[in-house]
Amino acid sequence: MAKVIAIANQKGGVGKTTTSVNLSACLGLRKKKVLVIDADPQGNTTAGLGVSVDDDALTTYDCIVGDTSIEEAMIKTDYDNLWVCPGSISLAGAEVELVEVEKREYCLKNKIDETRDDFDFIIIDCPPSLGLITINCLCGADSVLIPIQCEYYALEGLSQLTKTVKTMKQHLNKGLKIEGVLLTMYDSRTKLSGLVVDEVKKYFGSTVYDTLIPRNVRLSEAPSYGQPIIAYDKNSKGAKCYKKLALEVVKRNS
């Protein structure tokens, strides 16, 4: 049965999509069968895995608001053991359509439960907001992986996010846990990055991953070629770090 991990942070630009793409690809490389659910209207995770969808394609939107199963919508990527349920701009309007739906918070969870037995990991790329789509993602997940940028405003919004996870546990998903905290855009040359790492470790303790994702030019370039970093430049520092992260995730769930 799959471990379902939502990658979430209400702040944009923290490496959420980069982590969804590259962690998933690296888990596939470790012979884990992986499904990525792109729940972000921008669809960047879908594009980052080299998948393009036309206007008639079934997407995560159809799974949340319609009768489409994830199995019907998912697409096999060019990478080992990796499938994606694509995102689309239609998701931007899904929250309005869900307003009058009974038990609307569980629409995605119901579809995920149908396909759990088919995968080792299901990774959900959440929108950078705390709306109804993100609530659907958190209701369908076992745990939350939180990427945090090594920047001055990194801790801004963290209390709100942890409060949201706590509220979800109390009212909608009692089993929800913090899977881990991932420090991204780390620059060993700056004192600030080190200070942020120290503060985050004080706040989250042992849930912080040992792996630090560095600022890396090749990692930034890879999405424009529709490739995860292990395909774009497998010898880059970014590739090595995401492989290390995948190993940590597997070990925590072994």
Side-chain angles (χ1 to χ4, degrees):
M1 183 178 285
K3 176 69 176 285
V4 185
I5 302 173
I7 299 182
N9 192 323
Q10 68 205 54
K11 276 178 66 67
V14 297
K16 184 174 58 64
T17 296
T18 299
T19 298
S20 299
V21 168
N22 293 299
L23 173 59
S24 301
C26 289
L27 286 169
L29 199 63
R30 297 194 66 83
K31 300 187 174 6
K32 301 298 180 183
K33 192 176 179 184
V34 184
L35 169 67
V36 185
I37 298 176
D38 189 352
D40 191 330
Q42 297 176 80
N44 290 336
T45 290
T46 305
L49 290 169
V51 173
S52 57
V53 291
D54 56 36
D55 293 339
D56 298 323
L58 295 170
T59 68
T60 303
Y61 165 82
D62 299 288
C63 299
I64 293 176
V65 304
D67 295 325
T68 302
S69 68
I70 287 175
E71 188 176 2
E72 290 172 304
M74 70 186 191
I75 298 168
K76 177 70 176 70
T77 71
D78 292 335
Y79 307 105
D80 292 343
N81 308 306
L82 184 57
W83 283 255
V84 62
C85 186
S88 70
I89 194 63
S90 303
L91 281 161
E95 302 208 2
V96 176
E97 296 181 55
L98 288 172
V99 167
E100 295 186 2
V101 175
E102 189 178 352
K103 295 188 177 178
R104 57 187 177 271
E105 299 90 354
Y106 298 100
C107 293
L108 183 58
K109 173 182 165 51
N110 294 336
K111 300 299 174 67
I112 288 172
D113 286 347
E114 292 172 1
T115 196
R116 264 182 182 263
D117 291 341
D118 299 329
F119 295 93
D120 296 306
F121 288 94
I122 296 175
I123 305 293
I124 310 174
D125 184 20
C126 301
S129 64
L130 292 175
L132 195 47
I133 296 300
T134 299
I135 289 172
N136 259 266
C137 296
L138 296 179
C139 280
D142 299 315
S143 59
V144 187
L145 190 158
I146 306 171
I148 297 176
Q149 189 178 2
C150 292
E151 295 288 352
Y152 182 72
Y153 293 110
L155 303 181
E156 187 181 83
L158 265 188
S159 58
Q160 181 62 45
L161 185 59
T162 51
K163 184 180 176 182
T164 299
V165 172
K166 187 176 179 181
T167 303
M168 291 290 300
K169 281 174 67 75
Q170 288 175 338
H171 301 289
L172 295 168
N173 183 359
K174 292 181 180 178
L176 187 66
K177 298 177 181 176
I178 293 179
E179 175 74 20
V181 176
L182 177 67
L183 288 150
T184 64
M185 303 178 201
Y186 176 76
D187 188 342
S188 59
R189 298 168 300 178
T190 68
K191 186 177 179 181
L192 178 60
S193 280
L195 290 172
V196 172
V197 171
D198 291 342
E199 283 300 310
V200 171
K201 285 184 175 178
K202 277 183 200 172
Y203 195 91
F204 285 105
S206 61
T207 58
V208 180
Y209 291 107
D210 293 332
T211 304
L212 300 172
I213 305 300
R215 285 196 177 278
N216 182 251
V217 173
R218 305 299 274 171
L219 203 52
S220 302
E221 291 172 348
S224 62
Y225 291 88
Q227 295 179 331
I229 190 62
I230 55 169
Y232 182 65
D233 187 349
K234 65 181 180 181
N235 296 316
S236 67
K237 193 171 181 181
K240 290 172 183 174
C241 288
Y242 271 108
K243 285 179 187 176
K244 186 180 171 187
L245 175 65
L247 179 59
E248 274 199 78
V249 171
V250 169
K251 282 183 175 178
R252 287 192 184 191
N253 289 285
S254 60

